[in-house]
């Protein structure tokens, strides 16, 4: 049985390691070496942990997915699920936990090319075309809650 909960500060390092593993497997092939370095540097940036709220999905006591937000929960900054657990509703569980914390407010994300369809299934819409910054390719997207 998979469950989702807020991670403690001590557990966030484990979540960032998961994020890097999944990034390297699925997203790094779409990025330049500069983009991969930018992603790695972001995870290690001083103060990064102070700016995020991180949720973890667990099967038993094993972390299988993570989602991190910033800007008071209104912007998704990291969202990764281990490969064997993808397409099993775990990402939706993580997203719904984060969304519940912002009580129907608009959320944003800068989606990687790999995840655009995932975010569309969650209800996000593209704000503009794909961008490139510091080697990172992303599509700005927004979720406007239903009223």
């Amino acid at each position: 049985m998979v469950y989702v909960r807020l991670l403690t500060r001590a557990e966030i390092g484990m979540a960032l390691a998961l994020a890097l593993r999944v990034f390297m497997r699925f997203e790094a092939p779409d990025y330049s070496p500069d983009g991969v370095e930018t992603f790695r540097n972001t995870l290690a940036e001083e103060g990064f942990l102070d700016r995020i709220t991180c949720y973890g999905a667990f099967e038993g006591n094993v972390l299988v997915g993570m989602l991190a937000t910033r800007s008071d929960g209104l912007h998704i900054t990291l969202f990764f699920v281990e490969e064997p657990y993808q397409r099993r509703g775990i990402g939706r569980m993580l997203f719904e936990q984060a969304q519940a914390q912002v009580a129907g407010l608009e959320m944003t994300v800068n989606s990687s090319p790999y995840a655009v369809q995932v975010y569309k299934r969650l209800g996000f819409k593209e704000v503009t075309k794909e961008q490139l910054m510091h080697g990172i390719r992303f599509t700005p997207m927004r979720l406007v809650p239903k009223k």
Side-chain angles (χ1 to χ4, degrees):
M1 176 84 140
V2 175
Y3 65 95
V4 173
R5 66 171 172 79
L6 189 64
L7 296 179
T8 66
R9 173 86 180 213
E11 294 171 315
I12 293 177
M14 175 174 55
L16 296 182
L18 182 153
L20 182 59
R21 267 193 316 278
V22 177
F23 173 86
M24 293 305 292
R25 169 79 171 91
F26 293 100
E27 297 188 32
D30 291 332
Y31 288 87
S32 68
D34 285 345
V36 173
E37 182 179 351
T38 296
F39 184 81
R40 285 179 182 272
N41 290 344
T42 297
L43 297 181
E45 184 178 290
E46 186 172 335
F48 180 69
L49 297 183
D50 297 326
R51 294 190 303 269
I52 65 172
T53 299
C54 198
Y55 303 90
F58 292 83
E59 184 171 67
N61 62 353
V62 177
L63 182 68
V64 299
M66 62 83 65
L67 184 148
T69 62
R70 62 177 170 82
S71 302
D72 295 321
L74 298 175
H75 182 80
I76 297 172
T77 190
L78 298 169
F79 190 6
F80 295 95
V81 175
E82 293 277 19
E83 183 176 12
Y85 296 90
Q86 293 176 6
R87 297 195 152 300
R88 292 178 41 190
I90 294 168
R92 183 170 293 279
M93 289 172 61
L94 283 160
F95 170 70
E96 288 173 353
Q97 180 78 21
Q99 186 182 35
Q101 303 309 306
V102 295
L105 297 175
E106 181 177 301
M107 294 181 81
T108 60
V109 67
N110 291 329
S111 177
S112 68
Y114 182 81
V116 167
Q117 293 307 314
V118 172
Y119 285 110
K120 284 183 177 181
R121 284 193 298 274
L122 293 172
F124 284 78
K125 306 247 186 276
E126 296 175 27
V127 173
T128 187
K129 63 182 175 108
E130 184 178 284
Q131 310 287 306
L132 178 65
M133 186 178 300
H134 306 292
I136 298 287
R137 294 172 52 203
F138 64 93
T139 300
M141 301 181 81
R142 165 175 75 206
L143 174 72
V144 178
K146 297 174 177 110
K147 297 191 185 208

